[in-house]
Amino acid sequence: MDRADIPKKRCPYCNSEAKLDFAIWGRPYFRCGSCDLMYRGDLQVELKRDLFRHFEREYFSEYAHDQLSGSRNQIYTHILDVIEKETAVGRILDVGCGCGFFLKEAKDRGWNMEGVEPSKESVDYATILLGGNFVHAGTLQDFPALGEFDVVTLIDALGFSSTPWSDIERIRTLLKPGGLLFIRCSNSFLHAFLFKISIRLMMDSFVSELVVFHKYPLTPRFILRLLRDYGFSNVNIRNAKPSGGGLPLRFLKSAISIIANSLYYLSRRRIIIGPSLEVMERKP
Ligand SMILES: [Zn+2]
């Protein structure tokens, strides 16, 4: 494709010019040259309500198997260990809490917990798992919070949001002063890099099975920009602990994690190439 023919759009976050970066599974992904936001370019006309309905109906069948298999439990334990090193046990909100396994672990550790989740089947599951109505069915925008939270978590949820910046703005109002925001998400800088290399090597059909791209594939650069724009000025962003899976996959993830962490520390925390990211910051 000639450079002049590359489709362009306006970035939905900062309104700078965004260009088509790559296409996968029939979906075009655009990337903003200014703030580094990546987004699905075929969903521009989609209403928030449509996205909400999609999650209401499809999320459980598409994504819940990962949670139900127990393969994510070690991630939840790790996240609570990290949080509890930073802050005392108190009131926690998990946004996009799915079937409630993270909240169950938090409850068992004595946290006063609540969740928000658009998928009705996931909310029903979480209600049974948690032994009560601790999960609000809906989105963060219509979550009727009373009081403020010590901790708000977004565990592999922000990239699914209809507008991640609205969620960060809302979370800022839900956190106590000094309250902790914790985000885990895929590192789309790495996933996009690997996928684009694989196209050149004609290995894209294999690599497309391994990479993850949601509505907003999040890069470290965009996350830093977004959080700073909403007043989180001292953001701690690093490679996440690898998730579970079968033995060969776990071995591969551990090897990648060792390489990524070595580069992270050698570059004085500037190069972040792990498959997933962990972001932590206190509300001023
Ligand atoms: Zn932008």
Side-chain angles (χ1 to χ4, degrees):
M1 189 185 287
D2 193 280
R3 277 188 87 76
D5 296 331
I6 295 174
K8 298 178 183 110
K9 291 194 180 209
R10 287 278 153 199
C11 168
Y13 180 60
C14 76
N15 205 35
S16 300
E17 188 178 88
K19 291 179 183 167
L20 179 67
D21 199 33
F22 60 91
I24 184 168
W25 315 306
R27 305 172 188 169
Y29 280 91
F30 285 70
R31 191 166 189 164
C32 173
S34 174
C35 72
D36 208 35
L37 175 71
M38 293 168 71
Y39 61 97
R40 272 183 71 174
D42 56 339
L43 295 177
Q44 287 293 72
V45 294
E46 182 183 61
L47 297 170
K48 285 182 190 178
R49 199 177 54 229
D50 293 339
L51 194 70
F52 175 71
R53 286 201 179 133
H54 172 77
F55 279 109
E56 218 179 22
R57 287 190 307 252
E58 316 291 346
Y59 181 86
F60 194 85
S61 57
E62 282 183 21
Y63 295 103
H65 57 88
D66 228 19
Q67 300 165 51
L68 301 176
S69 71
S71 69
R72 296 183 63 78
N73 289 351
Q74 59 162 317
I75 297 177
Y76 303 147
T77 308
H78 162 75
I79 291 172
L80 281 166
D81 289 346
V82 170
I83 289 170
E84 288 173 5
K85 278 186 191 148
E86 294 292 321
T87 191
V89 169
R91 193 169 178 221
I92 192 166
L93 173 69
D94 188 26
V95 179
C97 67
C99 299
F101 288 96
F102 173 74
L103 290 176
K104 176 73 168 67
E105 177 72 23
K107 186 185 179 198
D108 291 346
R109 292 179 181 217
W111 286 84
N112 180 357
M113 47 79 214
E114 284 173 70
V116 182
E117 170 56 46
S119 156
K120 278 192 170 157
E121 281 172 284
S122 298
V123 173
D124 290 345
Y125 192 99
T127 302
I128 295 166
L129 183 72
L130 300 170
N133 296 318
F134 298 101
V135 176
H136 169 75
T139 68
L140 199 52
Q141 301 308 318
D142 53 32
F143 173 60
L146 295 170
E148 294 173 316
F149 291 86
D150 299 293
V151 178
V152 176
T153 52
L154 283 154
I155 303 170
D156 296 311
L158 192 61
F160 287 102
S161 172
S162 54
T163 44
W165 41 96
S166 308
D167 287 354
I168 296 299
E169 186 178 26
R170 175 87 174 111
I171 286 169
R172 212 186 126 88
T173 67
L174 292 170
L175 276 172
K176 283 180 184 167
L180 200 67
L181 166 64
F182 183 98
I183 300 170
R184 182 196 154 97
C185 61
S186 299
N187 180 358
S188 297
F189 169 81
L190 175 76
H191 290 249
F193 177 78
L194 286 179
F195 182 66
K196 286 190 281 186
I197 291 274
S198 75
I199 294 171
R200 295 192 178 194
L201 300 174
M202 292 191 286
M203 290 172 67
D204 48 310
S205 57
F206 168 66
V207 172
S208 67
E209 300 284 322
L210 302 175
V211 289
V212 179
F213 300 107
H214 301 305
K215 181 175 181 190
Y216 293 101
L218 300 164
T219 67
R221 213 179 109 207
F222 176 72
I223 292 169
L224 283 172
R225 161 79 187 262
L226 174 66
L227 293 179
R228 282 174 186 160
D229 284 354
Y230 284 93
F232 295 95
S233 53
N234 192 23
V235 179
N236 177 351
I237 181 164
R238 60 187 182 192
N239 298 304
K241 183 184 167 74
S243 55
L247 200 56
L249 191 61
R250 226 165 45 219
F251 180 75
L252 180 67
K253 285 178 178 176
S254 297
I256 292 171
S257 175
I258 290 167
I259 295 167
N261 281 331
S262 303
L263 264 173
Y264 177 69
Y265 289 110
L266 285 171
S267 69
R268 297 185 181 178
R269 303 173 183 242
R270 280 197 283 264
I271 300 176
I272 308 171
I273 59 152
S276 293
L277 303 169
E278 268 177 23
V279 185
M280 202 158 52
E281 170 57 347
R282 284 185 186 280
K283 177 176 167 176

